[in-house]
Amino acid sequence: MISKILLLTFLASGAFAHSTPDSSTYVAGAVEYEKIRHWTEPHREAEENLAEYTKIILAPETKDVDILVFPESSLNNLESAVFVPDPQLKVNPCESKDYFDVIIKNVSCAARKSKKYVLINLTEKANCDPKSDKNCPETKLKRFNTNVVFDREGIVVSMYRKVNLFGETGISRPEKPESIPFETDFGVTFGQFICFDLMFELPAVQLVRDGVKDFLYPTMWFSELPFLTAVQAQQGWAFKNSVNFIASGASFPTVGSTGTGIYHGKSGALTAVMNFLGSNKVYIAEIPKKQSTNHEFLPEIKYFDPMDMLKLKLKRDQLDVYNTSIVNFSQTNQNHEICSEKFCCKFDLDTEILETSPDSPFYIYRIAAYDGIRTFDGFADGAVKVCGVIACTDDSLKSCGTRHQVPVHDKLKFNSIKIRTSYKKDDNILFMPSTLDAAIMPFESKDYGYEEKSGENGEIQIFMELKESKTDLLTFAIYSRNFEKDPKE
């Protein structure tokens, strides 16, 4: 059963004609998809997932979509890898008399029949020569984690091979990072990258620097408290870079994978979900082509009960190396400065203790600062700078980034939070806002402010402020990736 969550404006106005270069908006669909798995029958697995993909592309619910994005690693696998035609050849597999794998041919035909752009992510295989490629295996075949984009006629117009791998046994890294933007017939140029790429400079940040304003992002994200759950990270990245961001998440909650959304820069999510259950849904939104904070959106955000969300597996950051201090709620108005090495964070807090049962569990909070290296599950290391307020289940640091396993009473309330820090203008750092509530969803963008201003001595001052009081706060932070301090390969 395919269903969709739409903007109320989309529901009210009825069907859209396809976007044109003169249109002020376009319609995008992001698919949250639970892969059909046959662990010992890889080709059957690919065939059945392909059949479901085709149904979604051709479904009446997606007929008005201009561009449809499927998630990472939810179609085929190493054993059923396929060859992909070079986009420069402008091949139409649906019409071509040449042989193409059934995945490429069927998606091409479905895109052509439905007259929409379609992005799929698959396991690709490609020939290599051991004489010129020292990493070429004995089989003379490499396998890549690859995006393939088809246009409305079914032509392969773009592809991208994932650069920043998260383990991924048997998958090769391309020789050089290469994500080439592609143009559409409705006047929008898209960049693309995949999952873990979000944490790195290449190709994601470089595409922003090159002027790309619209992004397609398939992912199978493994969410982590307190700063890097899926929708939280997606919204923060789109907000900081003021871009349209169409994120399609693989649905595999037992390993922590979920998270789909469509974002309009600093306006935040137009539609988004974090789900504790496996699901197949298409999330659709009408997206303004130009960035503006003057639009009045009625976002459709799916929230689940925090107790249900305990069923979603979440990892924990390495918080034990952070410099932290417990927030004392007996002081209504308080000011703090906390540093990690020479990186300092200033906090202005307006807090309140609510009347609750003394036996009811509640969250205790710490302010935290960190400037250093972290590991991403041992698959890569990266430098981060962080200023934040984080929730803990007791007064120990090891309890931070975990959740109460029973219903929680709202005992402590933040009326406002102000965080300030700075960095050198020439530093190669990507700062972004990071917020999270007990339902494992970020705050709506109207609930907080984030601003970077040029200061003295070549510094950039960062200001982040909570504008709406919160009792269900898990994270309120300025989070960054410090690319120039990343360990060298």
Side-chain angles (χ1 to χ4, degrees):
M1 177 69 179
I2 301 168
S3 60
K4 59 183 178 178
I5 295 179
L6 304 174
L7 283 177
L8 297 185
T9 52
F10 184 68
L11 285 168
S13 57
F16 277 91
H18 284 149
S19 180
T20 70
D22 295 330
S23 304
S24 61
T25 63
Y26 63 95
V27 178
V31 184
E32 176 110 346
Y33 182 78
E34 183 178 21
K35 184 179 183 179
I36 299 169
R37 299 181 185 276
H38 297 293
W39 300 103
T40 60
E41 299 178 82
H43 292 285
R44 177 188 171 193
E45 179 177 286
E47 289 171 3
E48 292 187 12
N49 285 297
L50 174 61
E52 293 302 311
Y53 271 40
T54 303
K55 289 178 185 176
I56 293 170
I57 297 169
L58 298 176
E61 291 88 346
T62 66
K63 68 184 179 66
D64 296 311
V65 168
D66 292 296
I67 189 161
L68 185 66
V69 182
F70 286 87
E72 180 188 23
S73 301
S74 299
L75 181 52
N76 65 336
N77 49 42
L78 290 171
E79 292 80 4
S80 55
V82 302
F83 290 105
V84 176
D86 186 339
Q88 295 185 8
L89 300 177
K90 302 298 181 185
V91 173
N92 189 327
C94 185
E95 291 191 324
S96 176
K97 294 181 180 179
D98 296 330
Y99 171 79
F100 291 97
D101 185 274
V102 65
I103 289 177
I104 299 299
K105 191 173 186 67
N106 284 18
V107 175
S108 169
C109 290
R112 178 179 175 81
K113 185 174 182 179
S114 65
K115 298 301 179 185
K116 62 169 65 75
Y117 286 79
V118 176
L119 181 150
I120 60 172
N121 174 274
L122 48 70
T123 305
E124 175 207 3
K125 60 184 177 182
N127 295 312
C128 62
D129 185 350
K131 295 180 180 179
S132 57
D133 183 353
K134 63 180 181 180
N135 295 316
C136 182
E138 292 182 4
T139 59
K140 297 183 180 181
L141 281 175
K142 281 187 172 181
R143 286 167 173 79
F144 299 96
N145 180 336
T146 302
N147 287 348
V148 185
V149 182
F150 303 81
D151 71 6
R152 297 192 202 272
E153 297 302 317
I155 298 171
V156 175
V157 293
S158 181
M159 66 179 288
Y160 164 69
R161 291 169 174 166
K162 186 178 180 181
V163 174
N164 301 288
L165 303 180
F166 195 78
E168 304 182 54
T169 302
I171 298 296
S172 295
R173 188 176 188 266
E175 293 300 309
K176 61 178 181 178
E178 187 174 272
S179 183
I180 301 172
F182 68 95
E183 297 180 5
T184 62
D185 64 3
F186 51 95
V188 174
T189 297
F190 286 97
Q192 58 179 307
F193 51 92
I194 302 168
C195 200
F196 197 34
D197 286 332
L198 187 80
M199 288 284 98
F200 294 88
E201 181 179 17
L202 297 175
V205 176
Q206 187 58 52
L207 286 167
V208 176
R209 292 172 182 159
D210 292 341
V212 178
K213 291 294 185 182
D214 295 74
F215 286 86
L216 309 177
Y217 178 68
T219 179
M220 180 181 275
W221 192 267
F222 299 97
S223 286
E224 174 189 278
L225 288 173
F227 307 112
L228 293 178
T229 61
V231 170
Q232 174 186 22
Q234 293 165 15
Q235 179 167 296
W237 198 91
F239 184 107
K240 169 57 188 283
N241 293 304
S242 295
V243 296
N244 291 325
F245 197 64
I246 304 161
S248 171
S251 179
F252 199 177
T254 56
V255 299
S257 291
T258 180
T260 292
I262 299 176
Y263 311 87
H264 182 59
K266 290 178 171 52
S267 296
L270 305 180
T271 181
V273 66
M274 289 285 288
N275 204 332
F276 68 99
L277 297 170
S279 68
N280 292 342
K281 285 190 177 183
V282 185
Y283 294 84
I284 299 175
E286 182 187 9
I287 307 175
K289 292 179 181 178
K290 293 184 179 180
Q291 290 293 327
S292 172
T293 57
N294 296 325
H295 292 284
E296 291 189 6
F297 295 107
L298 294 172
E300 279 291 327
I301 312 297
K302 178 64 176 178
Y303 292 93
F304 290 100
D305 187 279
M307 292 306 298
D308 287 329
M309 292 303 291
L310 289 172
K311 300 170 186 174
L312 175 64
K313 180 180 179 180
L314 298 178
K315 300 186 300 174
R316 177 183 179 269
D317 195 357
Q318 303 111 45
L319 299 172
D320 304 318
V321 297
Y322 280 53
N323 192 9
T324 72
S325 178
I326 292 178
V327 177
N328 182 359
F329 274 72
S330 64
Q331 296 177 300
T332 304
N333 293 293
Q334 48 193 298
N335 311 106
H336 303 278
E337 182 177 51
I338 189 167
C339 301
S340 173
E341 301 296 333
K342 296 181 180 180
F343 175 67
C344 292
C345 311
K346 294 181 179 180
F347 298 86
D348 298 331
L349 308 176
D350 181 352
T351 61
E352 184 178 346
I353 299 177
L354 305 177
E355 294 294 331
T356 60
S357 169
D359 297 326
S360 300
F362 58 92
Y363 284 106
I364 292 174
Y365 293 91
R366 285 178 179 261
I367 55 172
Y370 182 61
D371 180 7
I373 304 295
R374 62 154 297 169
T375 180
F376 296 100
D377 282 2
F379 298 123
D381 294 336
V384 300
K385 287 178 181 279
V386 185
C387 299
V389 178
I390 56 176
C392 314
T393 55
D394 60 37
D395 60 4
S396 67
L397 180 55
K398 67 180 181 181
S399 76
C400 302
T402 65
R403 295 174 289 172
H404 282 294
Q405 301 299 304
V406 295
V408 176
H409 270 263
D410 295 331
K411 179 175 181 178
L412 306 180
K413 180 180 180 182
F414 288 95
N415 292 315
S416 73
I417 302 172
K418 295 180 181 179
I419 307 176
R420 290 166 289 157
T421 191
S422 64
Y423 66 100
K424 295 291 185 182
K425 183 177 181 180
D426 296 332
D427 290 347
N428 187 13
I429 307 177
L430 179 71
F431 281 94
M432 66 192 87
S434 180
T435 66
L436 195 69
D437 67 18
I440 317 300
M441 291 294 287
F443 302 162
E444 290 188 36
S445 60
K446 66 179 178 59
D447 291 345
Y448 63 91
Y450 178 93
E451 188 176 15
E452 297 187 14
K453 291 183 178 181
S454 296
E456 298 179 354
N457 303 318
E459 284 193 339
I460 302 296
Q461 304 288 331
I462 306 177
F463 304 89
M464 188 171 174
E465 178 180 5
L466 179 66
K467 295 180 177 180
E468 295 290 331
S469 62
K470 297 288 182 181
T471 58
D472 62 345
L473 183 149
L474 293 187
T475 304
F476 192 80
I478 298 170
Y479 189 88
S480 79
R481 280 282 289 111
N482 187 359
F483 304 125
E484 66 180 41
K485 296 295 185 179
D486 279 354
K488 304 300 180 184
E489 294 183 0

